[in-house]
Structures are given as structure tokens and as C-alpha cells.
Amino acid sequence: GLYLYPRNQIANNDNLFNLEVVTYNYKDGFPRMEIAAVELDLVYDHTKAEFIESSVQTEADVSIFQDDPNTNTLKITLGKYSPFEESKFPVTDVELIKLPFRLKDASVLFEMKNIKIILL
């Protein structure tokens, strides 16, 4: 599965903050996922925060962002591809992507929707 981290963060107006999309792999007898790609929509109020694409940090070989202020949606596609290594994200709990935002308001809610995980 995936989750957003941190769940709660305090920042002042005009401050930069990072929101991470992290994989969660079950332990204790459950098989670990081998993720090849992830697609998701991150819904947030664009009048309250600004996505800074130029500062994104990710483990992905392919990353595509479509930020639409009209629908308040940031569409994210991440994939691993390497002809020389295994084409998958690590199987341990890992930060897939660090998304930088500039805060414009005192309170912003982020919600992941339409999550698709492609497994090997």
C-alpha cells in the first residue's frame, strides 16, 4: 500500500514543506510487493499550496506530473525501468517520492485518490 507522510505538519505561510509518498509492505509472513509503477491523483486546494516540480526527489526512473489548478489535482506517474538492473522499486518500506510545496494558507488538506499500483 501507499501512504502520505507526514500525516500532520506545521508550517507558516510562504514556507516550503515536503510531502512524501511512501510504500508500506507488510511484514511477518506476508509477501512483500515488488512495485514496477505507481499512478495516483493528489487532490489539494491550489489556492492554499503551490507544487514546486523543479525540486521533486524520487527513486523513480520515469516520473510524470500533471498539475491542474482547475480540478485541484496533481496527477503523478512513477515507474522503474532499467535495462541493466531489476525494474522495480525496493521491496522494503521506501519513500517513492518527495513532493515539495510552498504554503499559501494556514491549512491544507492533501488526499490520494485513484491509486494504481503495478506489481511485478
Side-chain angles (χ1 to χ4, degrees):
L2 299 176
Y3 65 93
L4 294 174
Y5 178 83
R7 299 236 187 250
N8 191 9
Q9 185 170 355
I10 297 173
N12 294 320
N13 284 1
D14 215 31
N15 278 10
L16 295 178
F17 68 94
N18 289 306
L19 187 62
E20 299 173 14
V21 177
V22 181
T23 63
Y24 176 75
N25 283 313
Y26 291 103
K27 297 177 173 79
D28 300 327
F30 287 93
R32 294 205 175 257
M33 296 182 300
E34 295 182 346
I35 300 173
V38 172
E39 291 181 359
L40 65 97
D41 293 347
L42 187 63
V43 178
Y44 69 99
D45 187 338
H46 282 61
T47 65
K48 295 183 176 188
E50 173 189 2
F51 174 57
I52 305 169
E53 184 175 348
S54 62
S55 298
V56 169
Q57 298 173 23
T58 181
E59 292 290 320
D61 296 321
V62 176
S63 54
I64 300 169
F65 307 99
Q66 296 172 321
D67 196 21
D68 187 349
N70 296 321
T71 61
N72 282 324
T73 303
L74 170 60
K75 293 185 177 293
I76 301 169
T77 303
L78 303 172
K80 287 293 271 186
Y81 170 76
S82 174
F84 306 107
E85 299 174 15
E86 292 184 67
S87 296
K88 63 185 176 186
F89 290 99
V91 294
T92 55
D93 297 351
V94 68
E95 168 193 304
L96 292 180
I97 190 165
K98 189 178 284 189
L99 301 165
F101 289 89
R102 182 177 311 281
L103 189 64
K104 297 180 184 179
D105 196 290
S107 178
V108 183
L109 175 67
F110 292 90
E111 185 177 4
M112 286 194 305
K113 292 188 173 185
N114 303 320
I115 301 166
K116 296 175 188 143
I117 300 174
I118 295 117
L119 304 174
L120 292 177

